[in-house]
Amino acid sequence: MTDWIRPANLAEALSARAAHGDYMLLAGGTDLMVGASERAAPAGVIDLFGLDELCALGRDDDGRLRLGAGLTYERLLADPLVRAELPALHDASREVGALQIQARGTLGGNLGTCSPVGDTLPVLLALDAEIELRGPSGTRRLPVDAFCLGYRETALADDELIVAVRFPADIGRRSQVWRKVGTRRAQSISKVMLAASTARADDGALRNVRVGLGAIAAQPLRARETEAVLEGRVPDDALADIAAQTVQTDIAPIDDVRSRADYRRAITGRLVRRWVLQLADAQR
Amino acid sequence: MSSASTGTGNSSRSSDSTGIGDSPDRVDGVPKVTGAALYVDDLPAPDAWHGATLRSEIPHGRFVALERDPDFDWSDVVVVTASDIGGRNTVALLIEDQPALVPVGGTIMHREEALALVAAPTRARARAALKALRVTTEALPAVTTLDAAFAADVKLHGSDNVLKQLEIHRDDADIEAVLAGCAHVIDSTYETGAQEQMYIEPQGVLAEWRGDTCRVVGSLQCPYYVHKALVILLGLPEDQVVVTQAVTGGGFGGKEEYPSMIAGHAALLAKAAKRPVKLIYDRAEDIAATTKRHPSRVRHRLGLDTNGQLVAADIDVALDGGAYVTLSPVVLSRAILHASGPYRIPHVRIVGRAMATNTPPHGAFRGFGAPQTTFAYERQMQKAARLLGVDAFALRRQNMLRVGDSTATGQVLSESVGSQEVLDRLEDALAQAAPPVPARLGSLRSPVRRGRGLAFYFHGSGFTGSGEERLAGRVSVACLASGDFEVRSSSTDIGQGMLTIFTQIAAQALDVPASRIKLSEPSTERVPDSGPTVASRTCMIVGKLVERACTALAQRLRDFATESSLDASDLSVLAAQHVAQRGELSETCEHESPPGVQWSDETYTGAAYPVFGWAACLVDVAVDEDTHEVTVERCLHAVDVGRAIHRRIVEGQIEGGTLQALGWALLESVPYEDGRVLNPSMTDCIIPTSADAPDMETLLVEVPYAHGPHGAKGVGEIPMDGPAAAVAGALEDALGIAADELPLLPEVLEHLLADAPLDEAPA
Ligand SMILES: Cc1cc2nc3c(=O)[nH]c(=O)nc-3n(C[C@H](O)[C@H](O)[C@H](O)COP(=O)(O)OP(=O)(O)OC[C@H]3O[C@@H](n4cnc5c(N)ncnc54)[C@H](O)[C@@H]3O)c2cc1C
């Protein structure tokens, strides 16, 4: 029989984790239960779903926004702070699975799986998020791209938990966009995801440009070349075309059963172009 | 005559209301919603073992040897191979070419062929046993495309890989000469892909032997098809095979022929295991192994004169039948019988071929060949309207069939032709409709291109040609001691509402409350063969038999009342009295074709169908300029159903069929590689969700058919036929591309637009 631990608080969860590095960490289970019947049962389960300290939502003393790893999409969607300060995450949450999945699936679970088609990951990349991990030796904070190491591979140690995601204090003042191109309107696996944010200088120049992309490589990634060509520039039609060109070299899409590499490449370019045009319009 | 759709359900009405045309509560509604209904895997069978199927995994080759891993514990496992078959090793349908199990030394024709079966006390044990079977095969070159089938370098069937060829020649004219003389000829080739039925309940059966009798309960559409197949496979007399339908979670044609295969397997396993065996497919196995809609290629040449009058059509239809004949000849027949459309065309030649390939056999799916050819002829009509610069509705009206006209097979349409009515209703509704409200998600907004497409089409109700006559379906109705009436038919409710509709028809004919009507479980030991639940025939053909049997029974009861000086005002009371005094009373009716319905299989002329349903569908699309994602913003669908027995069920049939057609048009792709399905999961084998469903307006048109119950004709399939063409036409309108293939995935549009890019977005 599989051992089942349901910790009452974070301290208990951490000590269970430290004691049983081989136990499965279970949050909403919406990733883990897929294909569960094909796998051997785990030695044990540490059930984190609904743990209060993982469902915190608010501002830290340093002004940064904090979202607990245990927050479900449903909770994120209902929260006015998320809607106001993190509209890209709000929009992304609305398109995860459908209502049932949104009620169970969590931010921490999306990170834990670190799939190339995890919908929040490009958003977290684009919103300059850092991932807070806690283990016996304390807390560490990693930028998303230092946490997501590869295809379904993370920097999480086997005595650590994902505790929270934190965002820059000024994130709500940056312009944010989100676009998911999926196989259908709900219960849809992404073919391409674009999340982006930027601050604007007084002259309209783009500052702190972040472009997060998903489903276009083995892992979600920041389009760093694209960010570089946009940084400090005032958006216009020509810049939009340059960005569209550049982003196609930032990515490494593949042909698979859900889409084709040439399509993914083409629409990533056009969506980036659209975003820059939209920024140029906002300027006028 | 036509009537408006009420749209809203009538939930306050008591479930005892039987009024024809009302929407009483569904007979099967509460048990299904509360979970009380037992599907086959829910049936209690505590001693049952679990079956599993060893598959070939090569598309073409020879089955050389089968060995058991000597290290595996076989003590609680049974293994069945072709040598355990008592009767003939075949899944009997039209012809006996498909084996139930490939024998050692036999030929493997596709990669999901069953080579051996196992059963064990648990599913996990059965699966482990499968892994402990060692198969040796020898690969042969495979044919996995229509082109390769036609090339016939590898011969799978005869010398040319043609499973079946059928032709229609309307007249003796030289079609090439006629086309050469036409002012306009539109010559295009259309291709459509496979489509998965994706019923919510995967296939499965429970088989059990009691003495020498084999009993099978399963998720299936046609108990008597399975019965016939088992009698032949097991080599048993007919009365030693009993087949019963369990509550079934959807079929769409997918449970027409394949259950005969699974039932045969489970029966063989149960015999070997000497106990009941459940053989239930999971989703992956179901998608990989069971039938899909036939992929097709249709070359259509349409000749018109300068006034837009259709003059000639020369149509070549090719279907990918897969590895065995199965139902392909009948699907091909329906495909070609619909291929020239609901139009008056003086010169028509249609040649159809179903080709053999090394893919699992393609089979029945709602529409049954008609959607493929409808896609082609309606795209042709859209192109004709564009070429001539005439109104889409006007071109249809100018050429459509009306009462007194004859079809390509020379069938004179004598009644219930709703062609004019559906176009009128659609055009009226369009004039009144508010513009669609675009719904878009996400904060990155791309501009869209909009377009509109129209499709106009017909669908033959009931079996093709002399099918109904040959079948001679029967229905019985019996009086019970309780004063209830039992309707005995082999029609199955697969979610489409047959239980409710038969209850309405019977209650009306006997003039008793619906609660007095019981429908017998569709089991071959209790019901006569009323024919399969296919071909949009259940309400129109079998429903009519229910009505006739009830009317005859009512007369017998009234006669009894007169003889015995009893009060005849309540037939239910009389029924109880009759059973008490004289024993059981029942009436059986057999199908009689309406006079004048003549068909020749030899010349392919005459009345192809008893009657046709008529429909028109209009679709508005918005195409994202950046991603080519397509949103169907509106879909208006006018369908002539003869008479809606149950309004809400009919509307549900039309909406569901429409969505399935939109899915086929835009989303549903079943890619194969070397004859293997690449996306056998609900995650990747995409069908539309409710979020993908457009705003749909269903317009019920009722042009009654004299020989259907209360004027009803078929409705199950027709909504599947036309919307795909409407969508493709709308995409052509929006993007200026020739959208001649399905599915029109964004990736396909990307490809089509690469040759003809959009101009810069208008401001
Ligand atoms: C029908 C369906 C539709 C879906 N649609 C989408 C979609 O549109 N977009 C999308 O991105 N995903 C989708 N998913 C996947 C899934 O819902 C999401 O990835 C979700 O965020 C997973 O969260 P969970 O809490 O259910 O994770 P779980 O399944 O509980 O866990 C996932 C992984 O994260 C680990 N984990 C969870 N919490 C922690 C923690 N606090 N610390 C360390 N590790 C942790 C687990 O050990 C496990 O490895 C879908 C899934 C299904 C079944």
Side-chain angles (χ1 to χ4, degrees):
Chain A
M1 267 301 276
T2 300
D3 186 20
W4 194 281
I5 302 177
R6 185 152 171 82
N9 53 46
L10 186 56
E12 268 183 45
L14 284 167
S15 57
R17 175 73 166 151
H20 306 283
D22 57 333
Y23 279 23
M24 175 189 270
L25 289 176
L26 178 78
T30 59
D31 270 325
L32 288 173
M33 294 308 290
V34 175
S37 59
E38 306 295 319
R39 290 188 302 260
V45 171
I46 304 173
D47 177 4
L48 302 173
F49 191 73
L51 194 74
D52 272 351
E53 288 148 287
L54 293 182
C55 297
L57 202 160
R59 230 174 248 287
D60 278 348
D61 294 344
D62 59 2
R64 285 178 164 256
L65 280 176
R66 161 183 292 268
L67 302 183
L71 288 167
T72 61
Y73 300 103
E74 186 183 76
R75 287 285 305 279
L76 295 175
L77 280 168
D79 193 84
L81 191 66
V82 174
R83 186 190 287 262
E85 304 264 326
L86 306 167
L89 183 61
H90 173 91
D91 288 350
S93 301
R94 198 161 50 149
E95 290 185 82
V96 172
L99 294 181
Q100 297 92 327
I101 295 297
Q102 290 165 17
R104 279 299 290 188
T106 65
L107 201 52
N110 211 232
L111 279 163
T113 298
C114 189
S115 149
V117 291
D119 282 1
T120 68
L121 305 180
V123 184
L124 302 184
L125 283 163
L127 301 187
D128 251 349
E130 60 181 23
I131 314 301
E132 187 171 297
L133 308 175
R134 199 170 302 169
S137 46
T139 297
R140 28 178 210 143
R141 291 176 178 148
L142 300 176
V144 184
D145 48 4
F147 175 79
C148 296
L149 297 179
Y151 179 79
R152 293 177 170 264
E153 192 192 333
T154 72
L156 186 76
D158 63 9
D159 57 1
E160 283 180 320
L161 297 178
I162 307 167
V163 174
V165 180
R166 301 200 330 145
F167 299 89
D170 73 334
I171 195 69
R173 293 195 295 281
R174 301 190 200 171
S175 155
Q176 304 174 16
V177 290
W178 160 253
R179 181 70 188 271
K180 167 174 177 168
V181 180
T183 48
R184 59 185 156 205
R185 284 290 140 77
Q187 304 294 20
S188 158
I189 297 197
S190 296
K191 296 173 177 176
V192 164
M193 291 172 271
L194 166 69
S197 79
T198 184
R200 301 297 285 267
D202 291 344
D203 62 354
L206 306 178
R207 294 268 185 265
N208 291 328
V209 180
R210 296 289 181 271
V211 178
L213 296 165
I216 41 57
Q219 71 201 84
L221 51 80
R222 267 177 65 182
R224 291 190 184 266
E225 295 290 323
T226 311
E227 292 175 359
V229 300
L230 293 169
E231 187 68 36
R233 301 282 302 276
V234 177
D236 59 14
D237 291 8
L239 188 65
D241 288 338
I242 294 169
Q245 285 296 322
T246 310
V247 76
Q248 299 187 46
T249 61
D250 270 324
I251 58 178
I254 58 163
D255 281 337
D256 63 17
V257 68
R258 292 170 194 140
S259 189
R260 296 167 45 107
D262 57 357
Y263 173 77
R264 289 179 155 127
R265 190 178 294 283
I267 68 169
T268 305
R270 288 198 290 266
L271 290 174
V272 166
R273 178 171 169 276
R274 189 65 58 196
W275 175 53
V276 179
L277 289 177
Q278 210 164 286
L279 290 170
D281 268 354
Q283 173 87 0
R284 284 179 195 131
Chain B
M1 185 189 86
S2 70
S3 80
S5 154
T6 54
T8 53
N10 212 339
S11 52
S12 60
R13 197 175 290 275
S14 98
S15 58
D16 240 21
S17 150
T18 58
I20 300 298
D22 286 348
S23 299
D25 291 349
R26 284 178 66 128
V27 171
D28 54 337
V30 170
K32 280 181 176 163
V33 170
T34 57
L38 296 182
Y39 296 81
V40 61
D41 202 19
D42 305 325
L43 294 173
D47 310 330
W49 279 12
H50 296 269
T53 309
L54 182 74
R55 299 195 184 273
S56 47
E57 292 181 14
I58 57 167
H60 191 202
R62 205 157 302 284
F63 181 15
V64 177
L66 179 72
E67 281 160 296
R68 300 183 189 198
D69 179 349
D71 297 333
F72 186 79
D73 171 14
W74 294 97
S75 61
D76 61 349
V77 177
V78 293
V79 179
V80 162
T81 64
S83 59
D84 299 305
I85 293 171
R88 297 203 293 281
N89 181 7
T90 186
V91 184
L93 196 58
L94 297 177
I95 66 164
E96 298 188 2
D97 63 336
Q98 180 174 216
L101 288 166
V102 179
V104 171
T107 305
I108 291 164
M109 291 293 288
H110 64 83
R111 39 188 325 151
E112 309 298 337
E113 290 245 55
L115 305 184
L117 307 161
V118 300
T122 65
R123 262 177 211 165
R125 279 290 290 157
R127 248 186 249 168
L130 274 192
K131 293 209 178 92
L133 289 174
R134 302 275 149 74
V135 179
T136 314
T137 55
E138 234 169 61
L140 291 168
V143 175
T144 56
T145 63
L146 269 178
D147 284 333
F150 277 111
D153 297 335
V154 176
K155 293 177 185 29
L156 305 178
H157 191 95
S159 59
D160 55 5
N161 291 333
V162 177
L163 295 171
K164 183 75 183 180
Q165 174 156 347
L166 293 171
E167 300 186 9
I168 294 173
H169 299 271
R170 172 154 213 171
D171 58 341
D172 297 332
D174 173 358
I175 198 87
E176 297 296 342
V178 177
L179 283 170
C182 286
H184 307 282
V185 175
I186 299 167
D187 180 351
S188 299
T189 299
Y190 300 92
E191 296 198 12
T192 66
Q195 186 183 22
E196 162 60 32
Q197 293 88 354
M198 207 66 100
Y199 28 70
I200 199 69
E201 181 205 17
Q203 305 222 17
V205 301
L206 168 63
E208 178 179 4
W209 289 75
R210 293 206 195 130
D212 292 333
T213 299
C214 176
R215 308 180 66 89
V216 162
V217 185
S219 180
L220 48 93
Q221 290 179 225
C222 314
Y224 275 96
Y225 278 9
V226 177
H227 186 264
K228 172 184 165 187
L230 287 180
V231 162
I232 292 173
L233 179 77
L234 303 173
L236 291 178
E238 290 189 1
D239 60 356
Q240 285 177 26
V241 172
V242 179
V243 178
T244 306
Q245 183 223 12
V247 178
T248 295
F252 308 109
K255 293 172 185 169
E256 177 169 349
E257 68 258 52
Y258 206 85
S260 297
M261 172 80 83
I262 309 182
H265 290 169
L268 293 169
L269 282 170
K271 177 149 203 170
K274 301 192 175 61
R275 62 179 72 235
V277 168
K278 265 188 182 176
L279 185 54
I280 312 278
Y281 285 4
D282 66 13
R283 183 66 64 184
E285 183 169 27
D286 192 301
I287 294 178
T290 71
T291 57
K292 320 235 166 313
R293 184 184 303 288
H294 288 71
S296 76
R297 181 190 297 160
V298 177
R299 180 176 176 204
H300 196 301
R301 291 192 297 162
L302 184 63
L304 302 94
D305 71 13
T306 45
N307 301 319
Q309 202 69 41
L310 302 183
V311 177
D314 182 31
I315 308 166
D316 186 88
V317 178
L319 299 181
D320 177 347
Y324 294 106
V325 171
T326 62
L327 288 172
S328 288
V330 206
V331 175
L332 181 69
S333 169
R334 192 171 277 271
I336 65 163
L337 287 167
H338 288 76
S340 56
Y343 298 111
R344 259 179 295 116
I345 313 179
H347 308 289
V348 177
R349 176 174 74 181
I350 306 168
V351 176
R353 292 183 196 87
M355 303 302 294
T357 61
N358 292 116
T359 42
H362 296 295
F365 191 156
R366 194 178 209 167
F368 210 71
Q372 290 94 321
T373 49
T374 304
F375 177 63
Y377 73 69
E378 275 308 89
R379 286 292 292 128
Q380 293 287 84
M381 290 301 283
Q382 292 160 353
K383 289 178 187 179
R386 199 167 257 268
L387 180 73
L388 297 165
V390 298
D391 175 66
F393 283 90
L395 186 68
R396 267 51 170 224
R397 285 203 178 92
Q398 180 187 348
N399 288 289
M400 71 190 175
L401 294 167
R402 302 168 190 260
V403 171
D405 287 334
S406 65
T407 67
T409 61
Q411 174 172 5
V412 178
L413 302 173
S414 56
E415 61 158 330
S416 190
V417 177
S419 50
Q420 171 88 39
E421 286 84 347
V422 295
L423 285 170
D424 290 353
R425 274 298 294 286
L426 189 65
E427 215 171 9
D428 288 352
L430 185 62
Q432 288 162 25
V437 186
R440 300 218 58 80
L441 288 174
S443 41
L444 186 64
R445 297 233 161 76
S446 306
V448 296
R449 297 282 170 116
R450 292 203 157 78
R452 170 168 291 175
L454 174 69
F456 169 61
Y457 48 102
F458 67 163
H459 191 96
S461 301
F463 267 145
T464 300
S466 35
E468 294 296 350
E469 228 161 82
R470 260 202 308 268
L471 189 78
R474 284 174 298 134
V475 164
S476 301
V477 180
C479 302
L480 303 181
S482 58
D484 292 341
F485 295 88
E486 186 172 85
V487 177
R488 297 170 185 160
S489 90
S490 66
S491 293
T492 52
D493 199 309
I494 50 177
Q496 85 283 39
M498 157 262 152
L499 289 170
T500 309
I501 286 166
F502 280 14
T503 301
Q504 282 176 283
I505 292 171
Q508 176 88 14
L510 291 161
D511 192 21
V512 295
S515 56
R516 284 286 174 200
I517 306 298
K518 309 291 169 210
L519 276 115
S520 173
E521 185 179 53
S523 174
T524 55
E525 66 181 342
R526 301 181 56 185
V527 300
D529 187 355
S530 342
T533 300
V534 303
S536 307
R537 65 183 290 281
T538 298
C539 178
M540 180 177 103
I541 302 281
V542 190
K544 186 68 187 179
L545 290 174
V546 172
E547 187 186 35
R548 280 177 45 213
C550 288
T551 306
L553 189 65
Q555 192 51 51
R556 298 261 308 265
L557 285 171
R558 291 198 183 97
D559 292 348
F560 162 63
T562 313
E563 285 164 27
S564 315
S565 309
L566 293 168
D567 172 19
S569 61
D570 185 341
L571 290 191
S572 173
V573 173
L574 269 180
Q577 284 167 336
H578 190 287
V579 176
Q581 293 172 24
R582 300 197 186 171
E584 162 154 341
L585 178 66
S586 70
E587 266 295 335
T588 299
C589 276
E590 185 171 307
H591 176 76
E592 285 163 17
S593 286
V597 176
Q598 298 275 320
W599 170 256
S600 161
D601 268 328
E602 288 65 46
T603 56
Y604 251 63
T605 55
Y609 299 99
V611 70
F612 291 87
W614 304 81
C617 178
L618 181 134
V619 160
D620 282 335
V621 299
V623 190
D624 186 300
E625 281 188 14
D626 291 330
T627 64
H628 309 139
E629 291 167 286
V630 178
T631 305
V632 177
E633 294 188 312
R634 171 159 64 192
C635 178
L636 301 176
H637 210 164
V639 186
D640 166 24
V641 301
R643 179 80 199 276
I645 303 286
H646 188 295
R647 187 160 292 274
R648 204 188 315 144
I649 283 177
V650 169
E651 286 170 355
Q653 283 294 300
I654 295 172
E655 289 186 8
T658 305
L659 189 57
Q660 214 158 25
L662 297 176
W664 185 50
L666 290 169
L667 299 174
E668 299 189 33
S669 163
V670 186
Y672 290 84
E673 189 178 75
D674 295 332
R676 182 173 59 102
V677 176
L678 289 179
N679 57 352
S681 72
M682 289 188 88
T683 308
D684 288 326
C685 193
I686 301 298
I687 60 166
T689 65
S690 56
D692 297 278
D695 191 10
M696 284 193 238
E697 194 174 338
T698 299
L699 308 157
L700 291 187
V701 174
E702 300 182 291
V703 185
Y705 168 51
H707 304 283
H710 303 278
K713 46 191 184 182
V715 64
E717 293 172 284
I718 188 167
M720 179 74 222
D721 291 355
V727 166
L731 287 171
E732 180 175 43
D733 186 32
L735 305 175
I737 51 163
D740 292 348
E741 63 188 286
L742 299 180
L744 289 157
L745 300 171
E747 288 80 354
V748 173
L749 298 179
E750 178 79 25
H751 182 72
L752 292 172
L753 283 163
D755 303 329
L758 294 173
D759 331 323
E760 193 40 38

